[in-house]
Amino acid sequence: MGWMLGILFAAAIVLLILSFLQTKQSAAKLEQHIDQVSFSLMDEVNQLQQQIRNVEFDTEIIVHETGILADSPEHRTLLKEMLDLQKRGYSFESIAAEKQLTIEEVENFLSPFIKTRDERSNDGNEG
């Protein structure tokens, strides 16, 4: 009976050592996978930053070539926010309420952009 306990105890120690080794190997694989995902995300972020820079440069070139005077940053921010709301389906009334403006002011801000978009869709349908 004593030698059975000794064998079981030795087997338990061997299994414990094997489980520690297995855990270390799986932890190393997990760390390697996390590193790969991290590098992949960094590459994607860098690509997105480059695309944003390209869009900014393109916008600056277009503004310079067309001779459009740049409005104040506050005006551009307000216009961007209103265009975003309008694109998401908000009505002029709800945009006016959201931005604490009159409906006429919202229509005046957005009318050049809505008109050009409508004209473009009509031109595409005629061809």
Side-chain angles (χ1 to χ4, degrees):
M1 179 71 127
W3 60 274
M4 284 287 271
L5 286 176
I7 291 174
L8 289 174
F9 187 68
I13 290 174
V14 169
L15 290 174
L16 183 64
I17 291 171
L18 288 175
S19 91
F20 280 131
L21 293 175
Q22 183 89 20
T23 303
K24 283 185 180 182
Q25 288 176 350
S26 65
K29 287 180 182 178
L30 180 63
E31 186 177 328
Q32 195 175 39
H33 180 69
I34 289 172
D35 286 343
Q36 288 175 347
V37 170
S38 174
F39 290 135
S40 167
L41 286 174
M42 285 191 318
D43 286 343
E44 288 182 27
V45 167
N46 287 335
Q47 289 174 358
L48 287 173
Q49 287 175 337
Q50 184 62 39
Q51 289 176 351
I52 289 171
R53 278 192 292 267
N54 289 341
V55 168
E56 288 173 346
F57 291 144
D58 289 344
T59 303
E60 286 182 35
I61 291 169
I62 290 170
V63 166
H64 181 59
E65 287 179 349
T66 58
I68 298 174
L69 296 175
D71 294 328
S72 69
E74 296 85 16
H75 179 78
R76 284 194 313 241
T77 302
L78 177 64
L79 184 58
K80 285 179 194 176
E81 291 171 356
M82 288 193 309
L83 284 170
D84 180 49
L85 290 172
Q86 194 274 330
K87 185 176 182 180
R88 290 192 283 158
Y90 284 68
S91 66
F92 285 156
E93 294 81 13
S94 57
I95 294 172
E98 176 82 21
K99 296 300 172 186
Q100 299 174 349
L101 299 169
T102 65
I103 296 172
E104 292 78 25
E105 288 174 323
V106 172
E107 288 176 355
N108 288 338
F109 270 115
L110 297 178
S111 62
F113 299 98
I114 294 170
K115 184 176 181 182
T116 56
R117 195 177 310 144
D118 291 340
E119 288 173 355
R120 279 189 249 153
S121 64
N122 287 340
D123 290 342
N125 292 337
E126 290 176 5

